[in-house]
Amino acid sequence: MERVDESANKVEEEVGRVVEEARELQESAASLISRISNEEQSLRQKANSIDSSIRRLHSLINSLLSQKLLDPCLADKLQEDLQRARYIITDGDVAAFLPAKTQGRFLRMFLGPINVRASRKDVQLKVKEEYNGYRDRTALLFLLFPLTLLILRSWIWEGCLPAFPVQLYQAWLLFLYTGLALRENILRANGSDIRPWWIYHHYFAMVMALVSLTWEIEGQPNCAQKQRGVQLFLQWAMMQGVAMLLQNRYQRQRLYTRIALGKANRMDVVWGETAGVVGQLWVLCPILFLMQGFEAYVGLQLLKMAYAGVVSEWQVTFCGIVLIVMAVGNFKNTVETLMAKSRFKAKMKRSKSKEELN
């Protein structure tokens, strides 16, 4: 009996000790979290203060420059220093303490009201690398999928595409563009610099892929005439795949160089279609403009087919309009990017000339 009482007392004492240790650990954890929270709040205030100072100094330099109260060479140097300071706080660990960008409706619609901003920089960079890997994989499929359909059309299907493979391809396009749009919205929430048009472009492409799934692919008779629009779209998709492969291959090298020079954020991606260097642009630009022109041509051909009554479905007219809108938007943004590059190069040449004179 004494042994039972002794064992019970030992167990009771041990349980009491564990409970007390749990309470002490909880108090220590609460104290640590409170201390960290106070330090985080202090860092947030300092980060916001520095960010506001950088914005204010940018405006002040521009104002003095417009009033001719500041030497242009000195102004360029000061602007460059401020830009470097901005990259320090937006690309380093300080970025976690800056106000997060508001998440758009697209993310809220798919993921709900959750916070997708990563507090650790290594997690943010993993998100970016996953996005780049996704682009690499899909670029190759973007080329091979329509190429395979066109080859099978000529060799096996006797010039007439069956409905199922085409609809399978359109379903894959819907999956592709939805995945790109989700990833790009998450990247923007984590500080990446992606032009809004390229995300809107993927929204348009998503809607077009969804609508095209309901487009009845007609066969014989007059299969070649009825499927002319589908054939042109597949040819355009092949060109898009080639452009994506070139873009991913050449422009990423340039992006890494810009990051090393402090002219780009580590969370930036190869956005748009003209982020390469001069030699690369001589290769990319003709392909891009040709692709955009062909995209508009496919859209016009679809509208022409609908107007002539060759294909009567409303989906044909809708897809034709969307293709033209995307072609015009892509062309406009490509030209704007090239003009911005031209202005930047002219500014750099003027700065170098002034330095040589001095």
Side-chain angles (χ1 to χ4, degrees):
M1 188 68 178
E2 291 181 359
R3 286 184 178 180
V4 173
D5 291 340
E6 186 178 351
S7 298
N9 290 334
K10 285 184 178 180
V11 171
E12 186 178 1
E13 288 176 5
E14 190 170 351
V15 169
R17 180 176 56 80
V18 170
V19 171
E20 186 62 28
E21 288 177 353
R23 285 177 182 153
E24 291 177 358
L25 181 61
Q26 167 61 25
E27 291 175 359
S28 299
S31 175
L32 176 62
I33 290 173
S34 176
R35 189 164 64 252
I36 290 175
S37 178
N38 292 333
E39 291 178 359
E40 279 187 1
Q41 187 61 29
S42 175
L43 288 173
R44 289 184 194 281
Q45 292 176 354
K46 290 180 180 178
N48 290 332
S49 175
I50 293 175
D51 188 49
S52 300
S53 298
I54 291 173
R55 296 176 187 274
R56 179 179 55 81
L57 287 171
H58 267 303
S59 301
L60 179 60
I61 291 172
N62 289 332
S63 175
L64 293 174
L65 195 59
S66 62
Q67 298 174 19
K68 296 183 179 180
L69 298 176
L70 189 64
D71 181 65
C73 291
L74 178 59
D76 289 342
K77 181 180 180 303
L78 294 175
Q79 291 280 22
E80 188 175 342
D81 290 342
L82 286 175
Q83 193 67 19
R84 191 173 293 110
R86 173 171 291 281
Y87 281 128
I88 290 173
I89 66 171
T90 57
D91 195 33
D93 295 326
V94 182
F97 302 102
L98 292 172
K101 294 182 180 179
T102 56
Q103 295 175 192
R105 294 180 182 177
F106 186 80
L107 277 181
R108 291 199 301 271
M109 180 175 64
F110 277 89
L111 305 178
I114 64 171
N115 182 20
V116 297
R117 182 180 175 88
S119 58
R120 290 167 49 191
K121 182 58 66 175
D122 61 329
V123 177
Q124 292 181 346
L125 293 175
K126 284 181 181 178
V127 173
K128 189 194 86 165
E129 287 305 316
E130 197 280 333
Y131 169 78
N132 287 334
Y134 184 76
R135 281 176 57 94
D136 289 337
R137 295 190 301 272
T138 54
L140 191 59
L141 282 174
F142 216 116
L143 174 62
L144 295 179
F145 210 145
L147 178 61
T148 302
L149 289 177
L150 289 174
I151 291 174
L152 291 176
R153 171 184 175 272
S154 300
W155 291 1
I156 298 177
W157 294 326
E158 298 179 352
C160 193
L161 288 163
F164 178 72
V166 177
Q167 289 175 338
L168 181 64
Y169 174 63
Q170 291 161 344
W172 177 79
L173 284 179
L174 178 60
F175 169 79
L176 163 68
Y177 286 120
T178 304
L180 282 172
L182 281 170
R183 285 166 171 80
E184 288 166 351
N185 275 280
I186 292 173
L187 283 170
R188 278 185 63 83
N190 282 276
S192 183
D193 181 22
I194 301 176
R195 283 199 173 188
W197 163 252
W198 305 117
I199 301 179
Y200 296 147
H201 173 272
H202 292 151
Y203 294 160
F204 281 120
M206 284 169 53
V207 173
M208 186 180 68
L210 182 62
V211 169
S212 65
L213 277 171
T214 65
W215 176 1
E216 183 180 357
I217 307 298
E218 298 187 30
Q220 300 292 355
N222 300 325
C223 178
Q225 185 179 12
K226 292 176 181 178
Q227 294 188 358
R228 176 61 177 163
V230 178
Q231 182 183 354
L232 288 172
F233 181 81
L234 292 175
Q235 292 171 356
W236 169 81
M238 289 173 54
M239 295 175 60
Q240 174 80 353
V242 172
M244 288 175 67
L245 287 171
L246 287 173
Q247 174 187 329
N248 293 350
R249 171 67 178 85
Y250 293 112
Q251 295 175 0
R252 191 179 298 177
Q253 293 179 354
R254 177 57 178 168
L255 179 62
Y256 289 153
T257 302
R258 287 175 57 80
I259 291 172
L261 293 174
K263 296 180 179 180
N265 192 311
R266 281 187 295 172
M267 282 302 295
D268 288 352
V269 295
V270 180
W271 49 260
E273 295 179 327
T274 54
V277 293
V278 179
Q280 298 162 6
L281 292 181
W282 282 110
V283 177
L284 282 175
C285 282
I287 296 176
L288 294 175
F289 287 128
L290 180 62
M291 185 181 68
Q292 291 158 7
F294 193 64
E295 185 178 21
Y297 172 73
V298 174
L300 290 172
Q301 286 296 110
L302 291 179
L303 294 179
K304 183 180 177 181
M305 289 169 56
Y307 180 76
V310 176
V311 183
S312 58
E313 286 86 356
W314 64 269
Q315 294 92 333
V316 179
T317 303
F318 182 87
C319 291
I321 293 172
V322 172
L323 279 171
I324 294 172
V325 170
M326 289 195 298
V328 172
N330 290 341
F331 178 78
K332 178 176 177 292
N333 274 265
T334 301
V335 171
E336 286 178 353
T337 303
L338 291 173
M339 291 176 64
K341 286 180 177 294
S342 178
R343 287 193 295 267
F344 178 77
K345 289 175 186 175
K347 181 179 177 181
M348 292 297 293
K349 286 181 180 178
R350 287 197 300 269
S351 300
K352 287 182 179 179
S353 300
K354 290 178 180 178
E355 289 177 0
E356 290 174 357
L357 290 174
N358 293 333

